[in-house]
Amino acid sequence: MKKVLFVATVVKTHIMEFHIPYLKMFKEMGWETAVAARNDYENPADCVIPYCDTYYDIPFERNPLKSGNLKAYKELKKVIDDGGYDIIHCHTPVGAMLTRLAAKQARKSGTKVFYTAHGFHFYKGAPAINWLLYYPVEKWLSRYTDVLITINKEDYERAKTFKAGKVCYVPGVGIDLKKFNVGYVDKEQKRKEIGVTADDFVLLSVGELIPRKNHEVVIRSMAVLKQNRKLDHIEYVLCGRGAYEADLKKLAGKLNVADHIQFLGYRNDISEICNCADLFVFMSHQEGLPVALMEAMACGLPIVCSNIRGNTDLIEDGVTGLISNNTPEELAESINAMRNDNALRDRLACAALQKIKQFDLSSVEDEMVKIYGGRVSNLVLQGRL
């Protein structure tokens, strides 16, 4: 029986979010599947991975300089050396770094190592420290990579200069567009549940509450709107959790806009919340190809986003959304423009809905089958999927 191993730093916020369709694909083709990642559930017993035959709880640290990664490397190397895997597909910077080091011997025995870069930490405009730390490491490790997969055009062009056996571009991990056709949503009831009213103009952001996601600029833009007497009946709904939550709440209080912000924490009903919001605001400093933005597009929400790699693979300014500089003043202008122009919102949302079709999960799965090649492709052609 053929065997595949998926590796990422964490289970809940990576494996479960992005890779279940691919575990399912391999299982339905008759492969034995395994996952190696840290159990990041609050209750460890909640860690149940669908379509996974064997799970290895590897104590990865997100910070590549943490000494705990030495233990993670040793445990992962044993898993790989003993596993006899035909394919290892690794993700996330630390998980992928340790996997490619641990799999050097396995590659000599025929194991193929695939690495999906979900957004290099070095990019146009990135801090110099990112280039000094991550660029040389990724370039060096590429020689231990049979296939390097990128999910945005900037990363693809840069990866082509590396030493990987093959470099490919795919449009993200794919999103299941059918999932966002949720049918009838009682908009008024849903709004009441999340703390807003039928008359409010609802801004929505989805993402971890960390500095990189830059929810701060949205809160500051609301202060600008308030100063200009344009904040009445505007509510900001924020879905996500993270270490920056207390800081964001403190900032909202300091700027006297806390009564216009709903912190909802981690949610399992994002598509329903999207369907009762008016505008999706995504001002992140850094992304690979943002799934949250793709999901909002799939729900037919108009978009305002920052001018960064990944966002610009999805949004064309004035065509499929509005791109704003990361200043409170310009973002406030964009929000106000969207609020006051129903026709603009409808036009941009319709164009975005058409654009996102090329990122559908079925299309991306087809691309991944071609990239995996060999035995995988043969089984698909024989109708095993």
Side-chain angles (χ1 to χ4, degrees):
M1 180 181 289
K2 295 283 188 177
K3 300 176 68 176
V4 61
L5 172 68
F6 279 77
V7 184
T9 305
V10 292
V11 176
K12 181 179 180 180
T13 55
H14 198 91
I15 293 292
M16 297 296 288
E17 291 287 337
F18 305 127
H19 303 305
I20 300 306
Y22 301 98
L23 287 166
K24 180 176 183 287
M25 182 183 80
F26 276 102
K27 279 295 294 179
E28 290 180 345
M29 291 189 297
W31 285 53
E32 183 178 330
T33 60
V35 169
R38 176 166 54 84
N39 184 346
D40 57 331
Y41 282 84
E42 292 80 4
N43 179 2
D46 291 337
C47 183
V48 180
I49 307 171
Y51 310 106
C52 173
D53 294 311
T54 308
Y55 166 57
Y56 301 97
D57 186 358
I58 306 294
F60 293 117
E61 300 274 2
R62 278 190 167 179
N63 185 337
L65 303 178
K66 285 288 187 73
S67 61
N69 282 319
L70 179 59
K71 179 182 179 183
Y73 168 77
K74 291 177 179 178
E75 292 185 15
L76 180 63
K77 189 173 189 309
K78 179 172 175 53
V79 168
I80 291 173
D81 288 346
D82 294 346
Y85 294 102
D86 299 277
I87 288 176
I88 299 174
H89 196 154
C90 55
H91 306 262
T92 66
V94 171
M97 175 184 71
L98 298 183
T99 298
R100 287 178 286 174
L101 291 173
K104 286 195 292 183
Q105 188 61 41
R107 290 180 69 233
K108 295 178 182 179
S109 301
T111 298
K112 298 298 182 184
V113 174
F114 294 73
Y115 165 44
T116 296
H118 293 261
F120 289 135
H121 284 296
F122 45 91
Y123 51 92
K124 293 176 183 176
I129 189 66
N130 287 34
W131 285 91
L132 290 171
L133 286 178
Y134 292 102
Y135 177 76
V137 172
E138 287 285 8
K139 189 168 186 177
W140 174 62
L141 287 173
S142 67
R143 70 192 63 203
Y144 305 120
T145 312
D146 294 292
V147 182
L148 197 168
I149 302 164
T150 59
I151 63 173
N152 62 63
K153 296 299 178 64
E154 181 183 324
D155 285 354
Y156 176 63
E157 292 302 320
R158 185 159 290 115
K160 287 194 294 185
T161 69
F162 289 1
K163 302 296 184 182
K166 184 178 181 181
V167 176
C168 302
Y169 163 78
V170 296
V173 295
I175 63 168
D176 185 356
L177 294 181
K178 297 188 295 294
K179 171 184 171 184
F180 300 97
N181 183 17
V182 296
Y184 175 73
V185 174
D186 188 332
K187 186 173 179 179
E188 185 174 348
Q189 178 60 36
K190 195 67 180 179
R191 284 189 165 213
K192 183 178 179 181
E193 176 191 324
I194 63 176
V196 298
T197 72
D199 296 329
D200 289 327
F201 185 78
V202 178
L203 316 177
L204 173 64
S205 294
V206 178
E208 285 185 275
L209 306 187
I210 55 177
R212 179 170 66 84
K213 294 296 185 179
N214 198 28
H215 304 299
E216 176 180 333
V217 76
V218 188
I219 294 173
R220 291 190 180 279
S221 74
M222 296 182 72
V224 173
L225 289 166
K226 183 170 185 174
Q227 183 179 359
N228 295 333
R229 298 182 179 179
K230 296 177 179 178
L231 190 60
D232 287 350
H233 290 291
I234 292 181
E235 293 289 323
Y236 180 34
V237 173
L238 188 47
C239 297
R241 63 185 178 194
Y244 206 44
E245 181 173 352
D247 298 272
L248 293 173
K249 288 180 176 178
K250 182 178 179 180
L251 176 65
K254 179 181 177 181
L255 297 175
N256 296 315
V257 295
D259 55 340
H260 288 266
I261 303 175
Q262 307 294 329
F263 288 86
L264 300 188
Y266 183 84
R267 302 288 297 208
N268 293 312
D269 56 348
I270 295 299
S271 58
E272 293 181 16
I273 295 174
C274 282
N275 276 280
C276 73
D278 296 295
L279 180 65
F280 193 79
V281 185
F282 195 79
M283 301 304 294
S284 185
H285 289 305
Q286 175 194 343
E287 294 292 336
L289 193 72
V291 172
L293 181 53
M294 297 165 71
E295 291 178 347
M297 294 169 69
C299 287
L301 263 181
I303 308 292
V304 174
C305 68
S306 53
N307 186 19
I308 60 168
R309 168 204 69 177
N311 286 3
T312 54
D313 285 63
L314 297 165
I315 299 298
E316 181 180 353
D317 189 34
V319 178
T320 50
L322 295 185
I323 292 178
S324 170
N325 286 328
N326 250 322
T327 66
E329 293 76 17
E330 183 166 333
L331 178 55
E333 287 183 13
S334 296
I335 291 171
N336 195 53
M338 285 287 214
R339 182 189 191 185
N340 293 329
D341 194 334
N342 292 343
L344 173 64
R345 295 202 308 274
D346 289 344
R347 176 173 63 81
L348 296 178
C350 286
L353 196 55
Q354 290 301 311
K355 170 77 173 180
I356 202 62
K357 290 180 180 179
Q358 64 188 269
F359 298 87
D360 184 49
L361 179 61
S362 61
S363 299
V364 177
E365 284 182 339
D366 288 345
E367 285 299 311
M368 284 305 305
V369 166
K370 294 175 186 176
I371 291 170
Y372 285 132
R375 178 68 173 156
V376 173
S377 296
N378 291 339
L379 286 172
V380 173
L381 291 173
Q382 293 166 19
R384 291 288 296 276
L385 267 180

XYZ file of all heavy atoms in Angstrom, residues 43 86 145 163 182 328 375:
57
model
N -8.354 21.517 24.318
C -8.577 20.187 24.874
C -7.947 19.179 23.910
O -8.481 18.946 22.818
C -10.070 19.905 25.026
C -10.335 18.506 25.575
O -9.402 17.764 25.879
N -11.603 18.134 25.677
N 5.976 7.093 0.512
C 6.194 7.366 -0.904
C 6.208 8.868 -1.165
O 6.991 9.357 -1.986
C 5.086 6.709 -1.734
C 5.072 5.207 -1.568
O 5.854 4.539 -2.249
O 4.295 4.710 -0.731
N 14.248 19.532 -1.904
C 12.821 19.597 -2.217
C 12.607 19.094 -3.636
O 13.152 19.657 -4.585
C 12.306 21.049 -2.107
O 12.750 21.625 -0.881
C 10.801 21.095 -2.195
N 16.839 25.949 -6.124
C 17.411 24.698 -6.602
C 16.470 23.501 -6.472
O 16.911 22.349 -6.551
C 18.700 24.390 -5.830
C 19.762 25.476 -5.927
C 20.262 25.656 -7.348
C 21.398 26.673 -7.388
N 21.875 26.895 -8.781
N -24.965 28.790 1.356
C -25.570 28.291 2.602
C -27.085 28.335 2.581
O -27.742 27.963 3.554
C -25.052 29.095 3.813
C -23.572 28.879 3.982
C -25.355 30.590 3.660
N -5.211 55.002 8.424
C -6.588 55.131 8.899
C -7.418 56.079 8.040
O -8.601 55.823 7.796
C -6.427 55.673 10.323
C -5.060 55.259 10.735
C -4.231 55.300 9.488
N 1.766 7.524 -9.822
C 0.733 6.606 -9.328
C -0.572 7.336 -9.019
O -1.658 6.818 -9.267
C 1.261 5.902 -8.068
C 0.295 4.945 -7.408
C 0.040 3.730 -8.248
N -0.761 2.754 -7.515
C -1.504 1.840 -8.097
N -1.560 1.746 -9.396
N -2.192 0.980 -7.369
